[in-house]
Amino acid sequence: MRRTPLHPRRRPFMALVTAAGLLGLLGPLTGVPGTAPTSQTPIEPTAAQAATSATIFYYTKTKNWPTTYLHYAPDGGSWTTVPGVRMAAACTDWVKQTVDLGSAAGLQATFNNGSGVWDNNGGANYALGTGAITVKDGVVAHSDPCADTDPDPDPGGNAATVYYSTATSGWSTANLHFAPAGGSWTPVPGVGMEAACTGWWKRTVDLGAATSMKAAFNNGNGVWDNNNGADYSLPTGVTTVRDRTVTRDAKDPCAAEEPDTEPPSVPAKVTASATYTSVVVSWEPSTDNRAVTKYQLTRTGGGQGTVVVDVGSTVYSDTGLEERTAYTYSVKAVDAAGNISVASTAVKVTTGEKAPEPASGTPLGTDPRKDPIYFVLTARFHDGDSSNNRGGNQHVKSGNAATNDPMFRGDFKGLVDKLDYVKALGFSAVWITPVVLNRSDYDYHGYHGYDFYKVDPRLESAGASYQDLINAAHAKGMKIYQDVVYNHSSRWGAKGLFTPTVYGVRDSQWSWYYDEPSAGFEYDGLTVEPKSGKAYYNGDLWSTAEPSGNTCLNWGKPTGGKSPEGYTLYNCQWPSPTSGMFPKKYYHQCWIGNWEGEDSRSCWLHEDLADFNTESAPVQNYLIGAYDKYIDMGVDGFRVDTAVHIPRVTWNRRFLPAIQDRVTQKFGAEAARNFFVFGEVAAFVNDKWNRGSVNHSAQFYTWKERKEYSADDEAAAIEQYTYEQQLGTGQQPTSANAFLNGNSYHTPDHSRFSGMNIIDMRMHMNFGDAQNAYNNGKDSDDSTNDATYNVVYVDSHDYGPNKSSTRYSGGTDAWAENMALMWTFRGIPTLYYGSEIEFQKGKQIDCGPSCPLASTGRAYFGDHLAGEVKASGFGTVASASGEVATTLDQPLVKQLQRLNLIRRAVPALQMGQYSTEGVTGQMAFKRRYTEGSTDSFALVTVTGDATWTGIPNGTYTEVVTGETRTVGNGTLTAAAPGKGNLRVYVLNGPGKIGADGPYLK
């Protein structure tokens, strides 16, 4: 639904934004939603704005309704009787209705087909004003789409035919505001233009005796393109206006194109490198007069002879080759017309010996619900190797240098060294932040991916590579869940796919920021470039000369703006989706305007997060190939960042099947079934459905599609979004997979499961207190495919409950209560590093690059881990010395250890379905899990008293106190154990588990 855009800060701004204010001074971005008009033309109220009526035009082509009704209420007035008033035909694909508003300044409106199918703007209704108003696919604009669309003007006057391109701006409608030379301007917003072909709008106007006109364009909602305030001067005849470029006597841009017979350029700079028996081949993108659609890679050598494969990106990973064998690779580029370039220069490479495949290099492959998760920001957890520590260009200014706290401080060696600490807490899975090579000035968290095929060297050490971490964890019976990003790269693009070149003037103004190019030096985040003395060197990213194939608009021209220091700002100096810098083939070209609208899945979230065109085959192939590498290393699952910003149909068609196929291929079907994928579908609300939008609700992503869409992924994404929004919340699939049938466990039905589980955002948002989280969490379980797989946490590296920007500070007893609930209720309990000692409670989680990390919720934790620790089991300590021994003696640590021991001993608490039928109590329920010879039945109450009726008779033992109760009448009652405490009565259970602590006793 249409709402005021929300802009949550997911990741830190780049240092340059805060230091030089560059983004804010680039000037108005024409066509970006929310930009104010800057036209020099006086803009005065039109007659329609002063009127007391509204003429509403509704677009019917998408809906294909046989009839359309307008159901409305003038501001301050009453609604019409359902279904409302029938709208009349206006022109092709449009119906209209004029409404008398009396003294009202607008109206609330919805539309329907007269048979119960509604468009109510996702539950928010449409707020409309006066005058001519269009409603097209959820977008409201101000124009008359049917006004004077006759392409033939009065033959007595001069005619001007104008084609206007909205391919870059993404406008859904366009108006032409003009004044013939010597004449008056049309009333704002001007005359509506008609759709001519994809990305183009057309309007023919009669200029009378005039031979030219002044013109500006707008989207009907106050966003203008007025040629940077100068307006356009357009002549008679046919003119095109595209990205502020005027072409006179132009060809019709919508006319059939001439056959394409020109082949792409030859792929350049082909390289091949071998690691064991795998080879990675990469090359620079080819150019074409239209577009390169794929590459043909030819391999010769070895026992298989000549092999030709189609590749969608400019990186190919060739695996399973013969040992110590020479191979030759060459590449050709192919365009959409089938034209093929000449083959590239061939490159030769020789493989090494076959890689060792230790048993610990394969995923553990067990049910993920058995494994509580400990979440760490690797770079902030524990420093095992100080030689790979690195700070960005704000290291001193932020205050990090003063405390010797570089942003990249923790590493894999530090995590390997402290796996026993995590195991001693009782956790058997570790979720780590993204491992791929990042690139920004503040990228320690890992979400600014640059080379998705390379592990960031700032995290690795000799003997402590990423593979070593995976193997070490598996040797201890612990899983590694890798945080992965499919939605976006860094603002510098993705190496091997597309990297933009920015315009940088290395004069006295900007030499501090743009480094001198260093031939042959390759950025890896760790190696210091000799000339600049920086590991965050950027000399390979910019050029003072316009690069070949440049698509960025107004390359190198001053914007007219100045930095805070008074430096001149230039176009193409900073990556932007609306600048033309990022080709649509690889990246989306718009900013998000509506966080619960379709554009949230097809636009940039933030200037540091360049939004992949995930519906493009080259992007899909690049990402699938990259993450195949980490699957092959034996990771146990993926936590998917920003999952909601990719259409569900794309996940279901491309990425999720690719994950399953790769795991199955490498490790077998059982390992694939237990490879745990859980997505971040961020919904910062307390209701079941995210502001009424099913497409933006977490549970939506757990389901397969239920109808066929276009074979084209981009078209399919729009079709699926529209279809599901129209169905609404009441017609979404439901599931009983999380619920007991009475007291009986039943085999869950996963036939409609998409392959993606979810973070339980609703419980997370409501963890202001445990009772609230419990009530809200279970309310959403019938619309989730299987909520027993939900990942449940109180706070994280982004937010605390209720979208708080600070780490949870509810108090130790509240934490103990939260933990008691999470470790016994359905779902997989997850803890953000340090919460076991209330680390940094109440501190701002992320304040960007302008303040010291030590003051935030992402502070360095290693000081609390100094010393030695050995775990004798999950939740038990064999020995500990130094500061870590003090850490392990904290009250919430004792709570965690015992809860983990209890959960591990009772299968119903790990994998069981639940029910509140026949249960009284505030946070009370029953759970059961049955498989083979296992039949685990548990009665749970957290904090308060409870009574269970209609339960099986038999002997129940309570795991906290060891109390034994014999039930003969189907009823059991428990007294309130107190805050942070609980009672778990297990039928034929194991008895008391663990020793009494501060809360569990």
Side-chain angles (χ1 to χ4, degrees):
M1 63 184 168
R2 308 299 296 179
R3 296 177 59 85
T4 302
L6 302 174
H7 299 281
R9 284 282 305 280
R10 289 190 39 76
R11 314 288 177 220
F13 276 83
M14 173 149 184
L16 185 57
V17 179
T18 55
L22 182 57
L23 248 290
L25 292 171
L26 284 179
L29 296 173
T30 300
V32 178
T35 303
T38 57
S39 174
Q40 295 174 347
T41 305
I43 298 177
E44 299 180 357
T46 68
Q49 290 173 318
T52 57
S53 66
T55 300
I56 299 156
F57 294 85
Y58 187 74
Y59 188 66
T60 59
K61 185 175 182 179
T62 307
K63 298 289 189 293
N64 197 27
W65 290 344
T67 56
T68 304
Y69 289 81
L70 169 65
H71 179 48
Y72 70 92
D75 291 349
S78 301
W79 285 88
T80 56
T81 304
V82 173
V85 294
R86 182 169 179 172
M87 303 184 76
C91 55
T92 303
D93 299 328
W94 291 93
V95 293
K96 73 175 183 178
Q97 179 67 39
T98 298
V99 175
D100 183 359
L101 297 176
S103 60
L107 69 156
Q108 292 283 310
T110 64
F111 304 87
N112 67 89
N113 69 348
S115 299
V117 181
W118 288 79
D119 172 8
N120 58 8
N121 194 21
N125 301 331
Y126 291 97
L128 308 179
T130 60
I133 304 167
T134 62
V135 180
K136 181 180 181 181
D137 296 335
V139 177
V140 177
H142 297 267
S143 64
D144 182 346
C146 303
D148 188 19
T149 56
D150 183 355
D152 297 317
D154 184 346
N158 293 324
T161 298
V162 183
Y163 288 88
Y164 181 72
S165 172
T166 56
T168 300
S169 67
W171 290 354
S172 59
T173 188
N175 296 309
L176 171 63
H177 179 48
F178 70 95
S184 301
W185 285 87
T186 56
V188 172
V191 294
M193 305 184 77
E194 60 180 345
C197 57
T198 303
W200 286 97
W201 296 78
K202 174 185 178 182
R203 182 75 192 206
T204 298
V205 296
D206 183 359
L207 298 180
T211 58
S212 67
M213 64 177 171
K214 285 285 190 179
F217 303 88
N218 66 85
N219 72 345
N221 275 334
V223 180
W224 287 79
D225 172 9
N226 52 22
N227 196 23
N228 279 337
D231 299 321
Y232 291 96
S233 180
L234 306 180
T236 57
V238 178
T239 305
T240 62
V241 180
R242 180 173 185 173
D243 298 330
R244 300 193 190 130
T245 298
V246 175
T247 303
R248 302 186 177 198
D249 299 322
K251 295 181 180 180
D252 181 349
C254 298
E257 295 183 353
E258 297 179 2
D260 178 12
T261 59
E262 182 180 334
S265 65
V266 179
K269 296 185 180 179
V270 181
T271 62
S273 60
T275 303
Y276 297 112
T277 56
S278 296
V279 171
V280 174
V281 186
S282 64
W283 56 93
E284 289 190 349
S286 295
T287 58
D288 187 64
N289 62 323
R290 303 286 172 83
V292 175
T293 56
K294 65 179 180 180
Y295 296 89
Q296 288 182 350
L297 181 140
T298 300
R299 182 190 75 204
T300 59
Q304 293 182 329
T306 299
V307 176
V308 180
V309 294
D310 288 342
V311 183
S313 69
T314 57
V315 175
Y316 180 71
S317 181
D318 202 5
T319 60
L321 301 174
E322 298 169 35
E323 293 183 278
R324 297 180 295 278
T325 301
Y327 290 93
T328 300
Y329 293 88
S330 63
V331 186
K332 298 178 181 179
V334 184
D335 67 15
N339 300 308
I340 304 176
S341 75
V342 175
S344 70
T345 302
V347 295
K348 294 183 179 180
V349 65
T350 301
T351 57
E353 295 182 355
K354 188 176 182 180
E357 295 183 4
S360 56
T362 62
L364 296 183
T366 54
D367 192 314
R369 295 173 294 180
K370 295 180 178 180
D371 302 299
I373 302 169
Y374 191 73
F375 171 35
V376 301
L377 269 70
T378 310
R380 308 301 299 156
F381 183 63
H382 185 246
D383 189 7
D385 177 7
S386 61
S387 70
N388 58 14
N389 292 359
R390 292 292 182 272
N393 70 6
Q394 296 293 295
H395 184 53
V396 174
K397 189 171 184 179
S398 66
N400 288 331
T403 55
N404 191 26
D405 186 28
M407 61 182 189
F408 263 95
R409 187 172 180 183
D411 44 39
F412 293 146
K413 188 175 190 304
L415 184 51
V416 169
D417 289 347
K418 299 304 176 183
L419 284 175
D420 266 50
Y421 169 77
V422 179
K423 187 170 184 175
L425 295 178
F427 293 95
S428 50
V430 183
W431 156 18
I432 60 173
T433 40
V435 305
V436 304
L437 175 62
N438 267 228
R439 191 159 199 180
S440 81
D441 292 334
Y442 215 60
D443 56 10
Y444 65 94
H445 42 65
Y447 297 97
H448 295 166
Y450 173 66
D451 187 345
F452 286 67
Y453 284 77
K454 182 181 180 67
V455 176
D456 201 309
R458 290 168 288 188
L459 298 175
E460 295 194 303
S461 308
S465 67
Y466 187 33
Q467 186 67 68
D468 292 327
L469 168 63
I470 295 168
N471 294 351
H474 288 173
K476 295 180 182 295
M478 301 169 70
K479 295 180 177 179
I480 294 293
Y481 294 149
Q482 178 178 330
D483 210 321
V484 295
V485 185
Y486 286 77
N487 176 67
H488 58 263
S489 69
S490 74
R491 66 173 165 276
W492 304 118
K495 184 181 179 183
L497 181 71
F498 175 79
T499 302
T501 303
V502 302
Y503 180 82
V505 181
R506 290 202 77 251
D507 55 15
S508 58
Q509 299 182 26
W510 289 108
S511 58
W512 67 274
Y513 184 72
Y514 294 106
D515 299 324
E516 183 180 353
S518 179
F521 182 81
E522 185 174 358
Y523 166 86
D524 65 9
L526 178 69
T527 306
V528 175
E529 191 277 317
K531 291 183 181 179
S532 65
K534 301 175 182 177
Y536 51 90
Y537 158 85
N538 63 17
D540 58 327
L541 298 172
W542 65 271
S543 172
T544 54
E546 188 167 0
S548 174
N550 168 56
T551 56
C552 189
L553 306 177
N554 298 312
W555 175 269
K557 296 178 182 178
T559 66
K562 299 284 186 179
S563 76
E565 300 87 352
Y567 299 165
T568 299
L569 299 173
Y570 298 89
N571 284 303
C572 310
Q573 192 173 12
W574 188 266
S576 165
T578 58
S579 66
M581 241 174 189
F582 291 80
K584 185 178 180 181
K585 180 178 180 181
Y586 304 113
Y587 286 90
H588 291 134
Q589 299 184 327
C590 52
W591 296 106
I592 287 181
N594 179 4
W595 287 79
E596 279 78 46
E598 195 283 326
D599 66 341
S600 71
R601 288 114 50 83
S602 57
C603 298
W604 287 35
L605 287 80
H606 191 281
E607 70 272 14
D608 265 356
L609 309 177
D611 199 80
F612 281 131
N613 180 358
T614 50
E615 287 62 65
S616 163
V619 173
Q620 293 168 356
N621 291 340
Y622 177 84
L623 292 170
I624 289 169
Y627 290 125
D628 279 353
K629 169 181 176 176
Y630 305 106
I631 290 172
D632 293 352
M633 293 174 73
V635 297
D636 300 276
F638 288 158
R639 180 267 187 182
V640 182
D641 182 77
T642 49
V644 70
H645 299 294
I646 296 175
R648 185 182 75 178
V649 68
T650 304
W651 283 114
N652 287 348
R653 279 186 176 184
R654 309 300 176 197
F655 298 132
L656 294 172
I659 292 170
Q660 282 290 302
D661 289 348
R662 189 67 170 196
V663 180
T664 301
Q665 174 191 349
K666 293 290 292 185
F667 306 112
E670 182 65 14
R673 187 174 71 86
N674 288 316
F675 188 91
F676 190 44
V677 179
F678 58 106
E680 177 204 32
V681 183
F684 303 108
V685 294
N686 293 331
D687 46 327
K688 182 172 183 175
W689 297 99
N690 184 8
R691 298 182 175 91
S693 173
V694 295
N695 282 280
H696 298 85
S697 300
Q699 60 268 43
F700 180 77
Y701 278 73
T702 65
W703 297 96
K704 288 181 177 179
E705 304 308 329
R706 41 188 170 161
K707 71 184 296 289
E708 291 293 327
Y709 300 109
S710 168
D712 177 78
D713 284 355
E714 185 173 1
I718 301 295
E719 291 172 9
Q720 180 247 314
Y721 178 87
T722 303
Y723 175 75
E724 294 291 356
Q725 288 295 93
Q726 288 177 347
L727 286 181
T729 60
Q731 298 186 56
Q732 294 302 308
T734 59
S735 170
N737 285 338
F739 306 117
L740 293 173
N741 185 1
N743 291 317
S744 299
Y745 178 87
H746 60 91
T747 302
D749 175 9
H750 293 148
S751 61
R752 295 181 293 164
F753 175 50
S754 67
M756 181 183 290
N757 298 287
I758 53 173
I759 293 170
D760 198 319
M761 293 299 294
R762 195 169 182 198
M763 288 194 73
H764 164 49
M765 281 293 99
N766 284 281
F767 255 119
D769 64 79
Q771 180 70 61
N772 207 30
Y774 170 72
N775 290 340
N776 279 274
K778 61 189 178 73
D779 181 50
S780 296
D781 289 350
D782 63 344
S783 57
T784 304
N785 184 270
D786 192 342
T788 65
Y789 288 87
N790 283 10
V791 170
V792 182
Y793 58 61
V794 173
D795 61 358
S796 73
H797 60 316
D798 281 329
Y799 292 108
N802 297 312
K803 205 180 178 184
S804 165
S805 62
T806 60
R807 287 193 73 155
Y808 183 75
S809 58
T812 310
D813 59 345
W815 255 122
E817 184 179 45
N818 291 341
M819 291 175 178
L821 175 64
M822 288 194 294
W823 262 256
T824 55
F825 189 45
R826 60 97 185 111
I828 303 170
T830 301
L831 196 75
Y832 182 39
Y833 81 99
S835 293
E836 64 271 23
I837 61 169
E838 298 179 86
F839 180 61
Q840 299 296 91
K841 64 180 179 180
K843 296 294 180 67
Q844 186 173 353
I845 294 171
D846 172 27
C847 61
S850 59
C851 66
L853 280 165
S855 68
T856 73
R858 297 174 175 179
Y860 177 67
F861 190 59
D863 294 338
H864 297 278
L865 303 177
E868 299 294 327
V869 57
K870 294 294 180 184
S872 53
F874 290 105
T876 58
V877 180
S879 62
S881 62
E883 185 60 30
V884 71
T886 302
T887 299
L888 288 166
D889 198 39
Q890 300 306 301
L892 290 179
V893 170
K894 300 300 183 185
Q895 180 85 344
L896 275 173
Q897 289 173 319
R898 195 171 186 200
L899 284 170
N900 274 315
L901 290 172
I902 290 170
R903 190 176 188 275
R904 189 168 290 274
V906 183
L909 301 183
Q910 303 168 37
M911 301 165 289
Q913 296 162 344
Y914 76 96
S915 173
T916 57
E917 179 184 351
V919 183
T920 60
Q922 294 299 306
M923 286 186 284
F925 44 91
K926 54 188 176 183
R927 297 190 68 184
R928 192 169 204 159
Y929 177 73
T930 306
E931 184 181 35
S933 61
T934 299
D935 184 8
S936 177
F937 184 72
L939 311 175
V940 181
T941 183
V942 178
T943 303
D945 55 17
T947 298
W948 297 265
T949 59
I951 60 175
N953 292 329
T955 301
Y956 291 77
T957 55
E958 204 282 306
V959 299
V960 176
T961 63
E963 175 193 9
T964 298
R965 302 279 287 273
T966 300
V967 173
N969 61 353
T971 300
L972 190 152
T973 297
K979 191 165 186 176
N981 204 350
L982 77 159
R983 295 291 179 258
V984 182
Y985 292 90
V986 181
L987 182 62
N988 302 318
K992 184 174 181 175
I993 299 172
D996 288 352
Y999 293 98
L1000 292 175
K1001 54 189 177 181

